[in-house]
Amino acid sequence: WILLFDGESLFGWETHGNCTWKVADGALMCDKGTDGWLGTKTEFTDFILKLQYRIAFSNNYGQLFRADKGPQPWVTGYEMQIWDEDTNNPTGSIYNVVKAKHPGGKLVTAVEKWQDVEIVADGEHLTATLNGHKVVDAKDSRHHRGVIGVQYHYADMKMEIRNVRVKPLGLKSIFNGKDLTGWSIIPGRKSVFTVTPEGWLNIKNGNGQIETNDVWDDFVLQLDIISNGTHLNSGVFFRGDKGQFWSGYESQIRNQWEGNDRTKPVDFGTGGVYGLQPARKVVPSDREWFTKTIVAHGNHMAVWVNGYQVSDFTDIRPRGKDARRNCRLEAGPISLQGHDPTTDLSFRNIRIASYPKRMDGK
């Protein structure tokens, strides 16, 4: 699971329309305005989404997913309606797609109380569950990927959301835990790549690089990492050229910070986009397993460490082939770095899912 809302800030979100948003008492809420929405900067495709919402009486609120950024996310994507007074699309309905069916025809929601929501989008299969009751179970193939957001209609009507988290679905293993099948080692380098008795991919010494034989452009990647030393340096590379040393974007691995302040990373810090955006916080510590989630789509990339978002980068540089100098959109392998003679890191549970192409092919 990864957190889309950290309970403290709007990091990773952007506003659309006339509303302004704030964080209060650990919840996201509309501060003022009307007819606007707040969306993630990162797109998602197949996932389980969980959150809690609380609204005032008669408020009209929508939980958006797989939507495009723009003025009509309920058209370019899906909206789970939250409005008890809409008889055509009662609370829980996927707006103008499928009407929610509440047990016994009686709404299973309430106002002025926190309500539990679970939305599952798995290919064309969509489900919505409210307070433990599944109210939608349908298939629709109109929208395959997009941002997650929250819509606000009426001024001066309180609406809050909290505990917003996502579990990506459809990830497949790209490391079998037995040997290096599916991977290639860049020759002529000093790193040593082995599979441990525990089934981990270990990298010692350096410099060096091992890369997948397959390539990806837009994807979500999750993997577990442990640094078996103090402040060791490594990285996960993507969208580079096959066979080219340290090519592409690099999601940094370095569990080091200044003094006692984890918000001051050394050398971009674990989860930072190396050379482009430092991690806003160094979450993991050395000699402890941690999970990194990397999402890359178009010119946007984001990284979570142990479920906490540490970077959110949009590459506005001119298009080109070299990600160190340009915005690169072309596919490339996933590569793991051996940095120097002190390198000793292990990787496990390496899993990835490709994003489907948009209808416009982008």
Side-chain angles (χ1 to χ4, degrees), residues 6 31 40 47 55 61 178 188 210 236 250 290 310 343 355:
D6 61 17
D31 189 25
T40 59
F47 55 82
I55 59 173
Y61 147 61
K178 299 177 182 179
I210 188 170
V236 180
E250 178 186 359
F290 63 91
V310 297
T343 295
Y355 273 30

Side-chain angles (χ1 to χ4, degrees), residues 5-6 8-12 261-265 268 270-272 277-282 308-311:
F5 169 51
D6 61 17
E8 302 172 339
S9 72
L10 295 176
F11 187 83
D261 190 349
R262 286 178 178 260
T263 66
K264 295 181 178 179
F268 288 86
T270 295
Q277 184 184 78
R280 64 172 176 147
K281 180 180 180 180
V282 182
Y308 181 88
Q309 190 172 3
V310 297
S311 59

Side-chain angles (χ1 to χ4, degrees), residues 42-348:
T42 302
E43 294 183 1
F44 298 92
T45 175
D46 293 346
F47 55 82
I48 304 171
L49 168 66
K50 290 188 177 184
L51 59 92
Q52 293 179 304
Y53 76 87
R54 183 168 63 179
I55 59 173
F57 180 71
S58 296
N59 200 1
N60 185 346
Y61 147 61
Q63 182 59 51
L64 306 163
F65 60 100
R66 287 183 177 171
D68 287 347
K69 301 175 183 180
Q72 293 185 308
W74 61 92
V75 175
T76 62
Y78 296 109
E79 175 191 355
M80 191 195 77
Q81 173 80 302
I82 303 293
W83 192 19
D84 292 352
E85 296 182 18
D86 187 340
T87 56
N88 293 322
N89 294 278
T91 296
S93 301
I94 307 299
Y95 188 74
N96 285 343
V97 175
V98 58
K99 184 176 180 179
K101 295 181 180 179
H102 292 257
K106 185 177 181 180
L107 290 171
V108 295
T109 58
V111 296
E112 303 292 357
K113 294 182 179 180
W114 286 106
Q115 310 292 297
D116 294 317
V117 172
E118 178 183 285
I119 296 173
V120 180
D122 188 1
E124 64 178 12
H125 190 195
L126 309 175
T127 67
T129 302
L130 296 175
N131 296 324
H133 299 274
K134 185 179 288 187
V135 295
V136 164
D137 190 334
K139 290 186 176 181
D140 189 87
S141 59
R142 275 173 279 189
H143 311 294
H144 297 283
R145 57 183 279 187
V147 301
I148 290 171
V150 53
Q151 181 189 35
Y152 182 83
H153 268 307
Y154 300 142
D156 303 321
M157 298 293 287
K158 189 175 182 180
M159 183 281 300
E160 306 163 277
I161 62 170
R162 67 182 187 186
N163 297 330
V164 189
R165 57 204 186 279
V166 155
K167 182 178 182 179
L169 298 177
L171 285 80
K172 296 182 179 180
S173 175
I174 53 174
F175 169 59
N176 64 23
K178 299 177 182 179
D179 54 40
L180 298 179
T181 298
W183 296 75
S184 297
I185 297 170
I186 300 295
R189 300 289 174 172
K190 295 181 178 180
S191 293
V192 178
F193 303 91
T194 60
V195 179
T196 71
E198 299 90 347
W200 309 334
L201 197 167
N202 179 256
I203 306 176
K204 285 187 172 70
N205 207 349
N207 54 36
Q209 177 179 318
I210 188 170
E211 64 183 22
T212 59
N213 295 335
D214 293 331
V215 296
W216 292 267
D217 48 12
D218 292 0
F219 62 85
V220 53
L221 169 72
Q222 290 189 321
L223 69 167
D224 299 334
I225 306 167
I226 188 169
S227 171
N228 300 307
T230 302
H231 307 327
L232 301 185
N233 195 332
S234 182
V236 180
F237 286 77
F238 57 96
R239 288 190 187 164
D241 292 318
K242 292 189 69 173
Q244 184 172 324
F245 187 59
W246 292 1
S247 171
Y249 294 99
E250 178 186 359
S251 176
Q252 173 74 308
I253 301 171
R254 185 161 180 173
N255 302 330
Q256 186 177 4
W257 52 91
E258 297 180 14
N260 296 318
D261 190 349
R262 286 178 178 260
T263 66
K264 295 181 178 179
V266 171
D267 199 23
F268 288 86
T270 295
V273 184
Y274 190 79
L276 297 170
Q277 184 184 78
R280 64 172 176 147
K281 180 180 180 180
V282 182
V283 173
S285 299
D286 291 323
R287 301 178 179 85
E288 295 177 359
W289 284 100
F290 63 91
T291 300
K292 176 180 280 192
T293 302
I294 302 172
V295 177
H297 59 84
N299 68 338
H300 186 78
M301 53 209 71
V303 178
W304 288 257
V305 176
N306 289 344
Y308 181 88
Q309 190 172 3
V310 297
S311 59
D312 190 83
F313 178 70
T314 301
D315 195 344
I316 60 173
R317 298 175 299 173
R319 286 277 304 274
K321 294 287 187 179
D322 184 356
R324 292 185 178 272
R325 297 178 176 85
N326 304 106
C327 171
R328 174 170 172 142
L329 304 184
E330 288 76 19
I334 303 299
S335 304
L336 305 178
Q337 178 193 53
H339 189 271
D340 57 67
T342 69
T343 295
D344 184 0
L345 291 97
S346 294
F347 302 80
R348 67 184 185 189

